[in-house]
Amino acid sequence: MANNYLETLYAGWGQQFVMDEILFEAQTEHQHLVIFNNAQWGRVMALDGVIQTTEKDEFVYHEMMVHVPLLSHGSAQSVLIIGGGDGGILREVLKHPTVKQVTQVEIDQQVIDLCKEYLPNHSAGAYENPRANIVIGDGVEFVNQTQQKFDIIISDSTDPMGPGEVLFTSRFYQGIASCLNEGGIFVAQNGVSFLQTQEVITTAKRLAPLFDQASFYTAAVPTYVGGIMTFAWATNQLAHKNVALATLEARYQAANLQTRFYTPSLHQASFALPQYIMEALHNG
Ligand code: SAM
């Protein structure tokens, strides 16, 4: 499946990383994993041939995936992360003092172990935080079986291929809706918008019947092909999407956040979608 997805999506073009030094490579129980050094991007991890994260720009993606929902919500205490094996999402969630517990459901223990060893600054000790509860398992099964409910759910999955394919299905989104608290927010990486407009439309159609608001926001993530990462956004609390700038700034200060990419102004601007995505969603 991995090759078919990649061949379809990147037919005729793509990006190349020179692997200056391979630090670790293996076929895990679930996917092919390689971690290598690259002169420009530092240490890089790829799963099934798709770049997941680099030392140089990981903060862009992890900050925007976490602080947009958490500062929109304003008082989240319980967070669920699906995937996220490199630990960057967990690290950023734990920066919020309102968060009492984070449950992370990651299918591949080896990704966690190897990222702790070769990309230690991604998790930066987050896996040892007493507020972190790590579950090794399939995210789609977890959300459809758990009795727990969460204020924020973040799906930091691989692309819709291999083990990640199930995390882009209606069954997964139905499970999300069933374990999201009233007023909760769900966000998910939904591909790079310039290439994956159809995925944006498909996700919107699958989320719309389950939530009062299914939308998207974007961030410029340099190493994801196409440069603009699209994040799916879903909530039944309409007010969360249009939080006043002054409120976001107050919450940012109250949390004493230290960020390198995220700002409250950028947060607000990230919901302004390119014309071609709005047209695709409208005509979808
Ligand atoms: N930031 C990256 C991106 O946007 O492509 C994703 C980071 S993280 C490495 C993706 C994680 O999703 C991997 O650790 C992978 O093992 C995990 N994963 C894939 N399918 C999963 C599933 N069905 N349940 C739980 N975790 C899954």
Side-chain angles (χ1 to χ4, degrees):
M1 172 59 196
N3 295 334
N4 179 34
Y5 171 79
L6 293 178
E7 281 155 18
T8 309
L9 186 61
Y10 300 124
W13 83 300
Q15 68 180 5
Q16 275 192 339
F17 280 72
V18 174
M19 295 205 257
D20 295 318
E21 180 195 3
I22 293 181
L23 301 172
F24 186 89
E25 183 170 13
Q27 185 65 34
T28 74
E29 184 187 347
H30 299 282
Q31 51 212 331
H32 176 266
L33 179 152
V34 62
I35 298 177
F36 59 90
N37 257 329
N38 172 278
Q40 282 295 337
W41 298 101
R43 290 186 173 184
V44 182
M45 175 173 70
L47 293 173
D48 283 341
V50 178
I51 298 296
Q52 299 297 307
T53 189
T54 81
E55 281 184 316
K56 187 158 187 178
D57 73 342
E58 56 85 11
F59 65 95
V60 176
Y61 171 88
H62 293 129
E63 289 182 12
M64 286 303 283
M65 195 167 207
V66 168
H67 304 314
V68 170
L70 266 94
L71 293 181
S72 296
H73 187 286
S75 56
Q77 295 188 19
S78 55
V79 177
L80 172 63
I81 301 168
I82 304 295
D86 54 75
I89 297 290
L90 183 61
R91 177 195 76 213
E92 292 300 313
V93 168
L94 289 168
K95 286 181 178 176
H96 290 259
T98 62
V99 173
K100 301 281 184 285
Q101 188 179 62
V102 196
T103 297
Q104 178 169 340
V105 182
E106 163 57 55
I107 201 167
D108 197 332
Q109 177 74 56
Q110 278 193 274
V111 174
I112 293 178
D113 296 344
L114 291 159
C115 288
K116 282 168 71 173
E117 181 174 355
Y118 292 103
L119 294 168
N121 296 328
H122 273 59
S123 54
Y127 282 117
E128 287 68 48
N129 189 303
R131 291 183 287 160
N133 167 38
I134 311 303
V135 174
I136 299 303
D138 188 331
V140 68
E141 298 312 322
F142 181 89
V143 295
N144 280 290
Q145 290 167 9
T146 184
Q147 300 305 310
Q148 289 179 271
K149 291 222 177 234
F150 302 92
D151 295 318
I152 305 285
I153 302 179
I154 298 173
S155 179
D156 178 27
S157 70
T158 44
D159 288 346
M161 58 189 243
E165 193 172 3
V166 293
L167 303 182
F168 294 81
T169 61
S170 295
R171 178 162 180 261
F172 178 61
Y173 298 137
Q174 285 155 6
I176 295 288
S178 69
C179 62
L180 196 62
N181 273 326
E182 191 54 40
I185 301 173
F186 166 60
V187 299
Q189 77 93 344
N190 203 76
V192 280
S193 57
F194 280 109
L195 291 170
Q196 295 173 280
T197 312
Q198 188 50 49
E199 277 82 351
V200 170
I201 296 167
T202 303
T203 300
K205 282 183 176 172
R206 289 177 175 162
L207 287 173
L210 297 166
F211 296 92
D212 294 342
Q213 185 171 69
S215 182
F216 297 86
Y217 65 99
T218 66
V221 185
T223 46
Y224 292 141
V225 181
I228 290 196
M229 169 59 76
T230 306
F231 299 99
W233 162 279
T235 180
N236 291 322
Q237 177 65 272
L238 302 183
H240 283 341
K241 186 173 164 224
N242 302 308
V243 179
L245 181 58
T247 304
L248 291 174
E249 286 170 340
R251 290 174 179 173
Y252 183 89
Q253 298 303 332
N256 193 28
L257 285 182
Q258 306 291 322
T259 56
R260 291 190 284 164
F261 187 86
Y262 174 94
T263 70
S265 303
L266 198 61
H267 171 147
Q268 281 197 323
S270 69
F271 282 97
L273 295 176
Q275 181 66 21
Y276 77 94
I277 290 188
M278 291 197 292
E279 283 173 4
L281 290 171
H282 180 263
N283 302 330

